[in-house]
Amino acid sequence: MLDAAFFVRWMTAAAAVIDREADRLTELDSPIGDADHGKNMQRGFTAVVKTLAAEPPATPGAVLTTAGRQLISSVGGASGPLYGTLLRRAGKVLGEADRVSAEELRSGLAAGVDAVGQLGGSAPGDKTMLDALVPGVTALSASFDAAAEAAGQGALATVPMQARKGRASYLGERSIGHQDPGAASSALLFAALAEVAK
Amino acid sequence: MSAQTAGGAAGGENAPVGVVLVSHSGPVADSVATLALGLAGDGVTVPVAGAGGTPDGGLGTSAELITKAARTVDRGAGVAILVDLGSAVLTVKALIAEGDELPEGARLVDAPLVEGAVAAVVAASAGADLDAVAAAAGEAYGYRKE
C-alpha cells in the first residue's frame, strides 16, 4: 500500500528528474514548440515541492490535488493546466484514503488521463503527452517499471507522428521527426514513480 | 494587469457583466481592453481587465493574473472571460473546473479575442446579462472578412 509520504517522494523525485532533464525538454520544444517546456516544468515542480514541504498533506489524494493546483497556478504554459488536471483528477479519485493500492493509483491516473484528453480535445496519435500517458497507465497494471518503460517507448513513438494539437500542429508535416516534449516529460513522471517504488 | 472602468459601479441588480481579456501578452490584453472600451463609447461603465502574459512580464498565461482580473471586474452579474489560444484556453478551463478559484458566474466565452471583446463590452454596457454578452461575443465569429 502507498501512503502520503510515498506520493510526496514521487513528486520530489519528479521535480529532481525534471530539473536534470530541463535542458533536454526545452531542446525538444525548440523545433516544434516555443522552447520553454523545460523551464516551465521546472518552475511548476519547484513550486510543487516547496508547497508539499511546507504543508505535507495527510493523504495520497491530497498530495496529488495540492500538486496539481500548484502546477495550474505556476507553470505559465499549456503543460500547467494539463498536468494540473491530470494530478487533481487522480487525487480526487483517490479521495481521502490514508493508503492506496497500486491498482487504485492506476485507476486514479486513468481518470486523470481521461480528463487531460477532454481538456485538450486530444487522443493518442495526436503527438501529445497522451502518447506517453496512455501506454504508461495501461502498463501500470503490470508494474511500475513496466509503466516507465511503456511511457518512455510511447514518448519515442511520437517522433514520426504529425502533430494535430497545440502550437506544433501549425507546422503540419514539419512537426514530423521530432519527439513531443510533453510526451517526454510525461515519461519522466513515470520514471520518477518507478524510481521511488524500488 | 490593468483594470479599467469609467464608473466604479457597485454591485446589485443592474450591475454590469465584467469582462476579462486573457492573452499570452500583457500589452495585447491591456490594449484590447482599451480598444474595446474606446469603441464601446463615452461613459461606458463596464469593468474590463486584461490578464496578459506572466507575472514577470513574459509571454505566457498566468492563473494568478486571471483570477485577480476576474475578481477585479466582478460586480455580481457574472464575468465573461475571453482568451487568445493554447494555454490561455486550457488555464481558464482548468480554473473553472477547480470550482472555487474564479468568482461565481465566471465563464469562458467562445469568441475571437479582439472582435469578441468589442462585442462583449458593447453588449454589457447596454445592460445585457452574461448569456447575452457571451452570445454577442460569439457572434463575432460570424463576421467574415472576405
Side-chain angles (χ1 to χ4, degrees), chain A residues 66-153:
Chain A
T66 302
R69 186 194 186 90
Q70 282 303 311
L71 292 177
I72 293 170
S73 55
S74 63
V75 167
S79 46
L82 291 167
Y83 278 113
T85 295
L86 171 73
L87 297 184
R88 280 187 66 82
R89 181 61 62 88
K92 281 182 183 163
V93 170
L94 295 184
E96 295 180 1
D98 287 337
R99 289 159 182 275
V100 301
S101 66
E103 173 53 26
E104 284 166 331
L105 170 58
R106 192 204 59 77
S107 63
L109 285 176
V113 170
D114 283 347
V116 168
Q118 255 173 24
L119 180 64
S122 54
D126 287 344
K127 198 180 178 95
T128 70
M129 57 198 279
L130 289 180
D131 290 306
L133 291 177
V134 170
V137 168
T138 305
L140 206 50
S141 49
S143 73
F144 289 120
D145 281 339
E149 173 67 19
Q153 291 301 325

Side-chain angles (χ1 to χ4, degrees), chain A residues 36 43 69 72-73 75-78 81-82 85 88 92 118-120 170, chain B residues 54 59-61 63-64 85-87 90-91 93-95 97-98 100-101:
Chain A
D36 60 4
R43 185 167 52 235
R69 186 194 186 90
I72 293 170
S73 55
V75 167
L82 291 167
T85 295
R88 280 187 66 82
K92 281 182 183 163
Q118 255 173 24
L119 180 64
Y170 302 141
Chain B
T54 55
L59 298 178
T61 307
E64 186 193 329
L85 45 84
S87 61
L90 298 177
T91 300
K93 279 189 179 175
L95 287 173
E98 294 278 297
D100 52 357
E101 292 288 319

Side-chain angles (χ1 to χ4, degrees), chain B residues 32-145:
Chain B
V32 173
T34 304
L35 173 68
L37 282 166
L39 294 184
D42 290 340
V44 167
T45 58
V46 178
V48 182
T54 55
D56 59 3
L59 298 178
T61 307
S62 161
E64 186 193 329
L65 293 183
I66 294 167
T67 47
K68 209 185 279 181
R71 285 182 198 134
T72 304
V73 302
D74 181 29
R75 301 288 182 273
V79 176
I81 305 176
L82 283 76
V83 302
D84 56 7
L85 45 84
S87 61
V89 183
L90 298 177
T91 300
V92 172
K93 279 189 179 175
L95 287 173
I96 287 172
E98 294 278 297
D100 52 357
E101 292 288 319
L102 296 171
E104 204 175 323
R107 186 195 297 184
L108 172 63
V109 170
D110 185 19
L113 181 65
V114 176
E115 294 87 337
V118 175
V121 173
V122 170
S125 73
D129 64 12
L130 184 58
D131 283 341
V133 167
E139 276 169 23
Y141 273 133
Y143 174 66
R144 310 312 308 177
K145 293 167 188 174

